[in-house]
Amino acid sequence: MEVPQKVRGTQDWFGEQQRYYTFIKKVSRHIFRHFGFTRISTPIMEMRDLIVRSVGEHTDVVSKELYEFKDKKGRDLVLKPESTAGVMRSYLENFQNDPQPVYLFYIEPHFRYDRPQKGRYRQFHQLGAEIIGERDPVLDAENIHMAVKILQDCGVGEKFTLKINTLGNTKEREAYIAELQAFFRGKSHLLDEIDQARVEHNPLRLLDSKNPDVREILPYAPKLRDFFKKDSNEYYESVKSYLDLLGIKYEEDPTLVRGLDYYCDVVFECVDNSGRTQDAYCGGGRYDGLATSLGSKNPVPAVGFALGVERLIDSMVESGLYIINKDTIDLYFIQVGEEAKRIALPISVQAREMGLNVLASFGSPSMKTQLKKANQLKAKYVAIIGIMEARRGVCQLKNMEKGVQQEIKISELLDHMVEIVGEKNLDFYDPKKELLQGKKPEPIDPSAK
Ligand code: AMP
């Protein structure tokens, strides 16, 4: 019988990969917290209808990439391909009476039945933000600012270009789409099958088509900008002026349309400068029409972004950036005989309480095998307690890097180790500092005087 393999396009994350992930989560959590955001997690499963109505029936994400299935009651469900739809669903249920806008962030796995390749997986992780309940160009600028800052703080600030564009409002876009379709219908002999389908169902995607024939005729196609009225132009100019105020550099790219249907007005992407195919680290924009397309009676303006964690990690690795490894073993106990074991067990417990990372070898292999194991695990120090040492209340403390060894009293071992490791490098977490008991504090009521 063969051992089952992991599902194609998925990855096991351990060791170094986990360190990058934890670091990226930490960096983004701090930035989000500074900007006043709180975290939300929506379910991995959503109703298919939610995703179709949000992302758009004819987008690649819905028409080709959905993981969809029926549950035992025949409901149509999907594994979420992105989180904005779920967050908006939750907003409509839980957040409408909160002070507006509501600032939410997420760090979640997503699923798309994509062709697996570097930078493109079937299970991938996105961290993202949504500012829901207010329309103001300042919020668009802040949204972009956060995405840029996360990339900068993760050390890849020089590796990407921020591209921005505006899609105008629904009416303007509809008028434009009709003209664009008319233009391309006259040239369908130049289009491949995919682009022919796009003309009918998702014409804006023709603007970022990779097909060279399409790219050649694009300069002659109608321009979206020509369909904008004063408001859309002013909104775009305003977002740009706030970006200027924040000192954020950007390039304007009229072909940037994003792959999902819910966007309007200002959209953006941070793309890798190296010109590789999977080039977008993150993208986002305004999506004022989403709530109403989900059935909300009131329009709910919103803006957000999503950043691909795997692509960011790849880029950090390529740049030679790595994360300090805190999962190191400060002290490894090697013991021989029952008496030594009875000394090593309680002292290893005590050592952990003092903030040291400690592993003890409690089987009964030979001293040589235990030392080899300590070496493989890259333990910094090894305390050897043999039969004689146990009787005399001492141990042999070996510095594994230097290979030097000294005898030390067991009663002095831990203070000595704390001194060597250094107070600031001790690993402390006191759950009691955050875990409180008693009456829950009243939620803050913003309407209270
Ligand atoms: P989107 O939700 O399509 O706007 O994607 C936002 C970001 O998520 C992209 O810029 C990528 O960094 C990342 N992303 C999207 N799809 C995948 C995928 N299949 N594998 C890895 N990362 C992805």
Side-chain angles (χ1 to χ4, degrees):
M1 199 166 44
E2 274 185 28
V3 177
Q5 302 291 298
K6 65 176 186 281
V7 174
R8 189 164 135 77
T10 65
Q11 294 174 295
D12 296 317
W13 278 20
F14 51 85
E16 186 121 54
Q17 185 88 348
Q18 277 296 353
R19 282 202 283 284
Y20 283 106
Y21 189 34
T22 307
F23 172 80
I24 292 168
K25 280 194 285 190
K26 250 193 224 169
V27 166
S28 52
R29 268 203 342 252
H30 280 287
I31 292 174
F32 287 135
R33 201 175 284 154
H34 283 156
F35 277 81
F37 282 69
T38 55
R39 184 164 175 181
I40 183 167
S41 288
T42 54
I44 297 291
M45 285 182 287
E46 290 285 1
M47 303 298 280
R48 185 179 192 279
D49 185 51
L50 169 75
I51 302 300
V52 173
R53 278 158 68 184
S54 312
V55 175
E57 188 153 11
H58 297 293
T59 55
D60 286 353
V61 170
V62 167
S63 63
K64 298 185 199 151
E65 298 168 4
L66 274 188
Y67 272 92
E68 40 194 326
F69 56 99
K70 284 190 189 294
D71 72 2
K72 290 189 193 300
K73 284 248 165 94
R75 299 179 193 96
D76 288 314
L77 304 183
V78 297
L79 298 183
K80 62 177 175 183
E82 55 97 66
S83 275
T84 300
V87 173
M88 182 54 94
R89 177 194 51 64
S90 179
Y91 169 89
L92 294 173
E93 192 179 325
N94 302 306
F95 292 92
Q96 296 205 70
N97 295 324
D98 286 18
Q100 306 287 314
V102 170
Y103 295 85
L104 298 168
F105 79 93
Y106 60 82
I107 305 174
E108 295 280 303
H110 296 100
F111 305 85
R112 294 184 193 174
Y113 196 80
D114 231 332
R115 196 167 62 80
Q117 55 193 287
K118 192 172 163 61
R120 200 163 274 278
Y121 306 94
R122 290 185 174 171
Q123 175 174 341
F124 61 99
H125 298 73
Q126 284 180 338
L127 60 90
E130 317 290 356
I131 309 173
I132 310 179
E134 210 163 88
R135 176 181 165 87
D136 190 306
V138 146
L139 297 175
D140 293 63
E142 275 208 316
N143 180 51
I144 294 173
H145 184 193
M146 277 187 307
V148 167
K149 182 147 178 53
I150 291 173
L151 292 175
Q152 285 170 341
D153 285 7
C154 286
V156 298
E158 300 303 316
K159 293 192 71 181
F160 70 90
T161 301
L162 166 64
K163 295 195 170 179
I164 63 168
N165 188 25
T166 178
L167 304 175
N169 65 31
T170 315
K171 252 190 172 165
E172 293 159 348
R173 221 168 32 252
E174 274 169 10
Y176 170 66
I177 283 172
E179 291 261 333
L180 192 67
Q181 283 177 318
F183 174 84
F184 275 109
R185 278 186 192 129
K187 303 185 174 42
S188 58
H189 58 287
L190 295 172
L191 308 181
D192 60 21
E193 230 171 88
I194 296 174
D195 282 336
Q196 278 180 17
R198 280 185 173 150
V199 174
E200 298 315 317
H201 300 303
N202 201 358
L204 284 182
R205 286 309 302 273
L206 289 162
L207 300 185
D208 65 2
S209 169
K210 304 262 185 295
N211 179 349
D213 288 338
V214 175
R215 298 201 77 83
E216 212 166 292
I217 51 177
L218 265 178
Y220 309 100
K223 303 277 173 296
L224 180 56
R225 212 60 66 78
D226 297 336
F227 290 72
F228 291 161
K229 304 251 157 42
K230 191 163 155 261
D231 280 0
S232 290
N233 281 324
E234 278 177 5
Y235 197 90
Y236 184 49
E237 290 306 317
S238 193
V239 173
K240 285 196 293 177
S241 79
Y242 290 124
L243 290 176
D244 293 338
L245 189 65
L246 290 168
I248 298 170
K249 292 199 184 71
Y250 53 84
E251 257 178 33
E252 294 180 63
D253 179 355
T255 68
L256 178 69
V257 292
R258 312 277 301 123
L260 318 175
D261 268 8
Y262 49 60
Y263 286 110
C264 64
D265 288 296
V266 182
V267 290
F268 78 96
E269 268 180 11
C270 293
V271 296
D272 191 83
N273 293 334
S274 69
R276 60 169 152 229
T277 338
Q278 307 309 332
D279 64 349
Y281 290 121
C282 66
R286 184 154 280 287
Y287 53 95
D288 291 351
L290 176 57
T292 35
S293 66
L294 294 181
S296 165
K297 290 198 182 67
N298 309 317
V300 182
V303 64
F305 78 86
L307 184 150
V309 174
E310 283 80 355
R311 295 207 192 150
L312 174 53
I313 293 177
D314 284 348
S315 172
M316 292 168 76
V317 173
E318 280 165 19
S319 304
L321 296 164
Y322 63 93
I323 316 300
I324 186 169
N325 183 7
K326 291 186 185 161
D327 301 331
T328 49
I329 297 163
D330 300 316
L331 184 60
Y332 188 88
F333 281 101
I334 289 179
Q335 46 71 37
V336 184
E338 180 60 23
E339 229 173 303
K341 199 180 276 187
R342 288 189 160 273
I343 294 172
L345 179 63
I347 202 170
S348 59
V349 172
Q350 203 187 336
R352 290 182 193 118
E353 277 166 12
M354 291 171 78
L356 295 164
N357 296 338
V358 179
L359 209 62
S361 169
F362 281 130
S364 27
S366 71
M367 178 91 81
K368 196 172 154 209
T369 313
Q370 293 191 58
L371 256 175
K372 194 170 158 204
K373 210 163 111 182
N375 212 5
Q376 285 170 335
L377 292 169
K378 299 197 170 67
K380 291 180 194 153
Y381 283 82
V382 167
I384 304 164
I385 313 176
I387 296 168
M388 290 317 292
E389 279 88 358
R391 285 191 192 147
R392 291 172 47 230
V394 296
C395 68
Q396 305 298 329
L397 184 65
K398 183 167 184 185
N399 178 330
M400 296 297 279
E401 196 195 335
K402 296 195 174 134
V404 292
Q405 191 168 310
Q406 71 180 110
E407 185 169 290
I408 184 163
K409 281 189 190 152
I410 290 188
S411 57
E412 290 169 8
L413 173 67
L414 296 188
D415 286 341
H416 184 67
M417 279 306 301
V418 166
E419 203 174 306
I420 296 172
V421 170
E423 295 268 353
K424 68 174 186 350
N425 298 321
L426 296 174
D427 189 358
F428 275 119
Y429 176 64
D430 182 2
K432 287 195 251 15
K433 277 194 180 158
E434 297 188 54
L435 182 67
L436 309 176
Q437 181 157 44
K439 199 168 165 302
K440 222 170 81 188
E442 291 294 320
I444 299 165
D445 177 0
S447 61
K449 295 268 151 61

